[in-house]
Amino acid sequence: QVQLVESGGGLVQAGGSLSLSCAASGHTFSNYGVGWFRQAPGKEREFVASIIRSGSTAKYADSVKGRFTISRDNAKNTAYLQMNSLKPEDTAVYYCAADFAYWGMVHSEYDYWGLGTQVTVSS
């Protein structure tokens, strides 16, 4: 079992920045791919970014490419999502997910999830 806890959400004005963290415990963090997803009210959960176990390769949704950066520090058992140039449409609950064998864009493939952190971007 891997336990994930997100933090760093909040209220920010459009154009601002937030940095989310995902702290992992329970198993060797470096064995797991990590994804960030988000879900706005009334909408499906959508892929934001993901990163391979070593941290050497990442993927991004087109909607956040160039604005968000995913990273991880395996020594600290933590993954991060740096969000810059935030837009009102980025408003959502952001979730961290982990999986032993997967680090892609499909949320149903991830076995472990945090409870989420709210990000609200005002216009």
Side-chain angles (χ1 to χ4, degrees):
Q1 290 279 348
V2 175
Q3 291 80 44
L4 303 171
V5 179
E6 303 94 337
S7 61
L11 173 64
V12 64
Q13 288 190 330
S17 298
L18 280 175
S19 181
L20 304 184
S21 297
C22 172
S25 61
H27 269 229
T28 304
F29 182 60
S30 59
N31 287 340
Y32 292 81
V34 173
W36 283 96
F37 293 79
R38 66 187 182 186
Q39 189 165 17
K43 294 190 175 182
E44 298 277 323
R45 188 166 299 191
E46 66 172 355
F47 170 77
V48 176
S50 62
I51 191 165
I52 201 170
R53 298 173 182 181
S54 66
S56 61
T57 306
K59 301 177 183 179
Y60 295 92
D62 287 344
S63 59
V64 307
K65 204 170 291 184
R67 299 189 297 123
F68 290 11
T69 303
I70 188 172
S71 62
R72 64 190 296 163
D73 185 339
N74 287 337
K76 295 183 177 179
N77 295 332
T78 303
Y80 305 96
L81 186 68
Q82 178 64 41
M83 306 186 295
N84 298 328
S85 302
L86 283 160
K87 304 175 181 179
E89 51 263 44
D90 294 318
T91 295
V93 177
Y94 282 70
Y95 297 91
C96 173
D99 192 86
F100 185 76
Y102 185 76
W103 64 284
M105 299 184 290
V106 180
H107 65 82
S108 59
E109 294 290 327
Y110 287 86
D111 283 339
Y112 304 104
W113 290 84
L115 296 180
T117 185
Q118 176 71 47
V119 171
T120 303
V121 185
S122 63
S123 56

